[in-house]
Structure formats: structure tokens, C-alpha cells
Amino acid sequence: MKLRLSLVVFSLILSVFIGLALSRQGRSGDGPASKNKKPLIGLSMDTLKEERWNMDKTLFVKRVEELGGEVLVQSANSDDARQIQDIEALLSRGVDALVIIPHNASAMSRAVDAAHRAGVPVLSYDRIITGCDLDLCITFDNLRVGREQAQYLADTLLAGKSRMRIVRIYGSKTDYNAVLFKQGQDDVLLPLIKSGRVEVIHEDWADDWRPENAKKITNAAITKNGKNFDAILASNDGTAGGAIQALLEEGLAGKIRVTGQDADLAACQRILGGTQSMTIYKPIKVLATRAAELAFDMARHKVIYAPDQIDNGFKKVPAVFLDVKLVTGTNMMETVVADGFHKEAALTGKK
């Protein structure tokens, strides 16, 4: 009887050990269970309020699913506390890799630390997360974006006059990309400002990239300095739209050059309509697709090739930089339309 009982107990203990071993094998990525498991990727987004971010989400999810993975998506509506909660929820769901589009570059360092405690690698998407041991970043060459914007104004305005007066509208202070755009603009403008060829009559940051904040900045510039200026160096298409609304109310739309970035549909329509001068086209399909592939490989613990680096204040983060294109009314069909980013009918209204 005692022998039979001992055998039963031994059998139960052996079963428990076997179960634990199989569980560990499945989680480690080395055993057969991991080969059959669909990689689960968490995508934490700052917002889905703007046109371009909905496109990012759709393309990213589509590519991960094509590769055989799954995506859980959360959007924080530009709320730092909510984004942290979103990421905690994604980690609790057992994601294998985490992709973050941060609202606040520094605040999301906590999220990276939390992910690492859970053994989850983190990819920073489009915007760098600062002050942490970030695994990887994929973004466009944001310094070049700023240089292209400022150089466009210098090339088109200073060619016909000795000096230009401009308003500068920066992006959100919490977005490190906005700092990089400004830095790129400064590379072009500061020598011209020093020589007296460029005068900045007003400048400010547009909180959360909101068009209404850009409109207020433009209104303030006009109230303070009058209507005698040449251009508004707006850092993206949303802020460009807000600035142009203020110009419309003052009868200045189409008379003042306005820059932008993102090649939003509304911005491209404004360019063809003559109220916005240019935008920077960042091929979102390339970004979202490549990010999905990187995240999928990270989830499977594959070695990642990242040829570039970006300093996030903690370390030089491995990075993948993508190219950008300057778009005006003269090359829109060869860029955003040819790439399928926008349809010609949507831009021109012609069927």
C-alpha cells in the first residue's frame, strides 16, 4: 500500500516537473512550442486623430499579419499617463515585442524599463524615446526634414530679394522629433540670420502639434508685427493648416509661403490650391512595413541589422533611417501619386 502511494506521489511530482520544463521551453523560444506560436506584437500609439497615423496603423498591422504574427493596438490620445497604462496592459497580455510611438519622448522611458523587466524588446517608431536603454529606433532623417524645409524658403525667397522675414512654428516640445526638425532648420537659417538676410519676427512651439495652437501663434505674429512678412516655417502639415487658417482670415493666404511635412491629403490639396507651398513626403508605407518586419524579427529573437545610430541621451541607439522627399505642386504626381500614397482624383477632384 505504502509502495503504491509512493509511486503515485512520485508520478505526480514527475508530471509537474515535466509540465514546468515544457512551459519554460515554450517561453524561451528554443523549443517546438515557440516555433508554432504566432508572434504577438504590441503597438502603442500616441494618437489616431491625425490622418497619417491611421495609415501607419493599417499598414503596420497588415504587414505583421502577412508575416504570420498578430498585433494588439492601443491609442493614448496624446495622454502620457494613458500611454503608460496602455503599455502595461499590452505587457500583461504577453506581447513578444513592443512598438511605441511616444507622445512624450522622455516619459516613455518608464515604459521601456517596464518592458525590459518583462523581457520584452522595444522598437521606437518614427519618434525616438529618450533617456533609456532603448533597443531599436526606426525613423526618417529628421534633421534632413528640417534642412529641406528651411532650404526651400532660402532658395525660393532669397533668390529674388536681399532678405526675408519669417515666422517659425515648431512642433510639440514633448516630441523629440520636433527638436530635431528645429535643429535641421537652424543648420540652414542661423548663418543667414547672422548675416542679416533672415529675420525671425515671431516663433513659438505648438503644443501637441495642434492646428489651433499654430493658428494662435500666427495670429500673435500678425498682431505683433503686422502683415509685412514673407513666410511661415511650419514644422508639419497640421500646424501649416492652422497657420493658413489665420492667413485666410487676414486675406494673406497664397501671398505668404508656408512649409509643411507629412504630405497629408489636405496639405497636398492646399499646395495645388496655392495656399501651402511645400511639404515633406515621408513614405509611410516604407516606414510601417519595415517597422513591422523589424518588430516581427525582434519578437522571434532574431539578430537585427541597424546601420545607423541616434543618441537618445542615455546611449547611441541602433537605428534605421529612411529617406524623405520634398514635394511641391510641380512634382506631386511623380511622388505621392506615383507611390499610391494619394489618388490623383482625391487631390484634383477629377474622376
Side-chain angles (χ1 to χ4, degrees):
M1 181 69 178
K2 287 182 179 179
L3 179 61
R4 187 178 300 168
L5 183 60
S6 297
L7 287 172
V8 170
V9 171
F10 176 76
S11 177
L12 287 171
I13 292 172
L14 185 60
S15 297
V16 169
F17 274 109
I18 291 171
L20 287 172
L22 287 173
S23 176
R24 287 195 186 100
Q25 188 182 48
R27 288 198 304 268
S28 70
D30 297 325
S34 68
K35 292 178 182 177
N36 298 323
K37 176 181 176 289
K38 273 189 174 184
L40 182 61
I41 296 166
L43 175 60
S44 171
M45 305 189 69
D46 165 20
T47 182
L48 283 170
K49 290 180 180 178
E50 294 178 20
E51 172 194 326
R52 73 146 287 190
W53 295 117
N54 283 280
M55 190 175 297
D56 287 77
K57 183 195 79 168
T58 300
L59 292 168
F60 181 90
V61 172
K62 179 175 182 288
R63 183 56 182 148
V64 170
E65 290 177 347
E66 287 173 350
L67 292 168
E70 294 182 51
V71 184
L72 297 177
V73 182
Q74 296 279 6
S75 176
N77 291 325
S78 300
D79 183 320
D80 293 335
R82 178 171 171 180
Q83 189 161 28
I84 291 290
Q85 291 171 356
D86 287 347
I87 289 166
E88 289 172 347
L90 291 170
L91 293 173
S92 71
R93 295 282 298 275
V95 295
D96 300 299
L98 182 62
V99 178
I100 302 176
I101 305 172
H103 170 250
N104 185 313
S106 60
M108 286 307 104
S109 63
R110 288 172 50 201
V112 174
D113 293 342
H116 286 174
R117 286 194 298 272
V120 176
V122 180
L123 169 63
S124 188
Y125 181 110
D126 193 50
R127 303 168 177 173
I128 187 71
I129 301 172
T130 58
C132 62
D133 188 20
L134 182 64
D135 298 290
L136 183 64
C137 178
I138 183 168
T139 186
F140 294 98
D141 187 342
N142 294 312
L143 290 173
R144 183 181 167 192
V145 170
R147 291 188 196 110
E148 292 273 12
Q149 292 170 326
Q151 193 63 55
Y152 168 83
L153 293 182
D155 290 344
T156 56
L157 287 172
L158 291 179
K161 57 197 306 184
S162 60
R163 65 194 298 265
M164 64 179 178
R165 306 177 80 227
I166 67 172
V167 174
R168 295 184 70 179
I169 301 177
Y170 310 122
S172 173
K173 283 183 180 179
T174 62
D175 182 354
Y176 192 65
N177 278 6
V179 177
L180 295 176
F181 299 145
K182 180 182 183 300
Q183 186 178 329
Q185 295 165 5
D186 287 344
D187 288 345
V188 175
L189 292 180
L190 291 182
L192 295 171
I193 292 170
K194 187 176 180 180
S195 69
R197 299 200 69 196
V198 170
E199 179 187 359
V200 179
I201 64 169
H202 192 79
E203 59 189 330
D204 206 347
W205 298 82
D207 291 344
D208 289 333
W209 295 96
R210 290 180 180 170
E212 59 266 31
N213 292 331
K215 182 178 184 296
K216 290 176 184 177
I217 293 168
T218 306
N219 287 334
I222 294 171
T223 298
K224 180 181 175 183
N225 300 281
K227 300 180 180 182
N228 183 26
F229 61 100
D230 303 292
I232 296 176
L233 180 47
S235 290
N236 82 336
D237 288 338
T239 53
I244 289 167
Q245 183 58 43
L247 295 178
L248 282 166
E249 294 171 2
E250 296 289 341
L252 294 172
K255 301 175 183 177
I256 304 292
R257 292 188 186 273
V258 182
T259 67
Q261 170 198 181
D262 288 333
D264 286 348
L265 177 60
C268 291
Q269 291 170 335
R270 290 194 297 264
I271 290 171
L272 293 178
T275 57
Q276 185 168 325
S277 306
M278 58 80 74
T279 188
I280 298 292
Y281 171 45
K282 302 187 298 187
I284 302 302
K285 185 174 183 180
V286 176
L287 172 65
T289 300
R290 186 73 186 107
E293 292 165 353
L294 290 168
F296 188 80
D297 285 345
M298 290 170 76
R300 300 170 70 208
H301 308 288
K302 284 195 170 185
V303 175
I304 304 297
Y305 173 65
D308 306 302
Q309 288 184 332
I310 183 169
D311 193 337
N312 77 339
F314 180 89
K315 71 173 190 179
K316 292 189 182 298
V317 179
V320 176
F321 289 156
L322 304 174
D323 205 3
V324 300
K325 299 176 184 178
L326 189 150
V327 173
T328 65
T330 60
N331 71 341
M332 192 170 294
M333 298 304 160
E334 293 79 35
T335 53
V336 296
V337 174
D339 280 2
F341 190 70
H342 294 311
K343 295 185 182 300
E344 183 177 356
L347 293 172
T348 63
K350 297 178 182 177
K351 295 183 179 180

